[in-house]
């Protein structure tokens, strides 16, 4: 069942999302060569706690950190570690979740570390474009497949791989609610209605679609070891324009 959020729920989701956005703002500012992914996790934990929220990922199915840090060919669910040191030319995808008064904000962004190649910059730009193409379809009366198709069209145009096994999801009191949102068309005719909240999160690869899970049972990487990017916002369907909850409140 897809549950729809009330105005009060959406207010709390925007507050949760604001805290997630604060973390991303700081990640963008501090990421540089020489930094460990564990340092980034410590910073994120502190910001979430200071804002009286709960790091949603910490302990989720046993996940040991507050953020996922996925470097280069890693797609999602990378575990922060003091031995993983960022270097010039890397990219790092940071996924953040915060729970505030029972509601979740979920957002991921891929950041360049220093100067990156033109090819990898194109991957980042296209994946971000895929996210916003999906968001632009979050209108009442559209169907889920409109969102999926818009995301897929950007990857196809740029001849990028699309991760198939992972995708977007409903979000609210739980991080993962119905419906699942594919990042490619599967013909899902589920109607979008006011109050539906969905985390839209394209994962595009510079190489093939296929990914595998590492021995740590978390880290997902591309099988050809080519870079992957991940951009995600939590978005609510309204009577008017969709609301991105994972933005700074002004
Ligand atoms: Mg996420
Ligand atoms: Mg998500």
């Amino acid at each position: 069942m897809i549950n729809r959020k009330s105005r009060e729920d959406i207010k709390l989701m925007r507050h949760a999302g604001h805290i997630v956005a604060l973390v991303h703002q700081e990640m963008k500012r501090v990421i540089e060569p020489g930094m460990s992914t564990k340092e980034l996790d410590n910073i994120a934990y502190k910001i979430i706690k200071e804002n009286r929220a709960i790091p949603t990922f910490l302990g989720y199915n046993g996940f040991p950190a507050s953020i996922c840090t996925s470097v280069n060919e890693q797609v999602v669910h990378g575990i922060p570690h003091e031995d993983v040191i960022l270097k010039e030319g890397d990219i790092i995808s940071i996924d953040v979740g915060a729970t505030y008064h029972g509601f979740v904000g979920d957002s991921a962004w891929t950041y360049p570390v220093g100067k990156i190649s033109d090819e990898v910059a194109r991957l980042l730009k296209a994946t971000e474009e895929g996210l916003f193409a999906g968001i632009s379809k979050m209108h009442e009366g559209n169907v889920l497949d409109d969102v999926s198709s818009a995301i897929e069209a950007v990857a196809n145009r740029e001849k990028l791989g699309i991760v198939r096994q992972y995708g977007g999801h409903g979000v609210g009191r739980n991080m993962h609610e119905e419906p699942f949102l594919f990042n490619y068309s599967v013909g899902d005719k589920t109607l979008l209605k006011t109050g539906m909240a969905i985390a839209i999160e394209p994962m595009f690869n510079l190489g093939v679609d296929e990914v595998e899970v590492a021995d740590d049972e978390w880290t997902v990487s591309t099988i050809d070891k080519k870079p992957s990017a991940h951009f995600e916002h939590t978005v609510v369907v309204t009577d008017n324009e969709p609301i991105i909850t994972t933005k700074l409140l002004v």
Side-chain angles (χ1 to χ4, degrees):
M1 193 198 89
I2 301 175
N3 66 63
R4 292 156 71 185
K5 279 71 187 176
S6 68
R7 291 173 82 94
E8 189 55 33
D9 295 345
I10 293 166
K11 229 170 122 182
L12 292 170
M13 288 189 72
R14 291 183 87 159
H15 202 111
H18 170 74
I19 297 163
V20 169
L22 286 175
V23 173
H24 276 296
Q25 178 177 252
E26 187 64 5
M27 295 291 117
K28 185 178 180 190
R29 195 179 74 80
V30 301
I31 285 171
E32 61 176 10
M35 197 145 203
S36 80
T37 54
K38 180 64 188 165
E39 283 174 86
L40 296 174
D41 182 50
N42 291 343
I43 292 167
Y45 177 83
K46 195 160 168 269
I47 293 170
I48 293 168
K49 285 297 206 181
E50 278 172 0
N51 285 280
R52 303 188 309 283
I54 297 165
T56 315
F57 299 175
L58 187 61
Y60 187 86
N61 291 333
F63 190 77
S66 300
I67 56 174
C68 300
T69 52
S70 307
V71 180
N72 296 335
E73 77 278 8
Q74 296 174 352
V75 180
V76 286
H77 306 163
I79 300 172
H81 199 281
E82 60 204 4
D83 292 342
V84 178
I85 309 291
L86 299 176
K87 49 184 201 315
E88 182 83 19
D90 284 346
I91 53 170
I92 178 169
S93 301
I94 300 208
D95 200 345
V96 184
T99 306
Y100 182 81
H101 285 249
F103 283 91
V104 174
D106 184 11
S107 171
W109 216 255
T110 302
Y111 299 96
V113 182
K115 177 139 182 58
I116 59 172
S117 71
D118 291 348
E119 196 185 29
V120 175
R122 181 177 69 88
L123 169 70
L124 267 51
K125 192 163 172 269
T127 312
E128 184 179 350
E129 187 186 336
L131 168 60
F132 284 96
I135 292 171
S136 76
K137 299 297 179 186
M138 288 284 282
H139 284 279
E140 183 154 85
N142 281 352
V143 294
L144 270 185
D145 199 60
D146 293 322
V147 181
S148 299
S149 297
I151 294 168
E152 180 179 23
V154 176
N156 289 347
R157 188 196 75 209
E158 295 293 323
K159 301 194 166 38
L160 296 167
I162 301 174
V163 175
R164 306 271 155 177
Q165 293 94 324
Y166 302 88
H169 50 89
V171 54
R173 286 191 177 276
N174 297 295
M175 179 158 60
H176 294 120
E177 298 183 353
E178 287 181 39
F180 184 82
L181 173 69
F182 289 88
N183 286 320
Y184 56 98
S185 175
V186 293
D188 190 330
K189 298 297 180 210
T190 303
L191 270 174
L192 296 178
K193 293 178 181 163
T194 293
M196 281 186 186
I198 297 178
I200 301 177
E201 48 181 316
M203 289 152 253
F204 293 171
N205 302 337
L206 212 43
V208 298
D209 297 344
E210 287 76 17
V211 298
E212 60 192 0
V213 181
D215 290 341
D216 66 13
E217 294 181 0
W218 282 106
T219 312
V220 177
S221 298
T222 56
I223 62 161
D224 60 6
K225 304 296 178 208
K226 290 195 177 169
S228 181
H230 180 207
F231 287 79
E232 175 184 34
H233 269 312
T234 298
V235 184
V236 185
V237 178
T238 77
D239 295 335
N240 294 299
E241 288 303 303
I243 294 172
I244 298 173
T245 68
T246 37
K247 287 203 309 197
L248 294 176
L249 289 169
V250 285

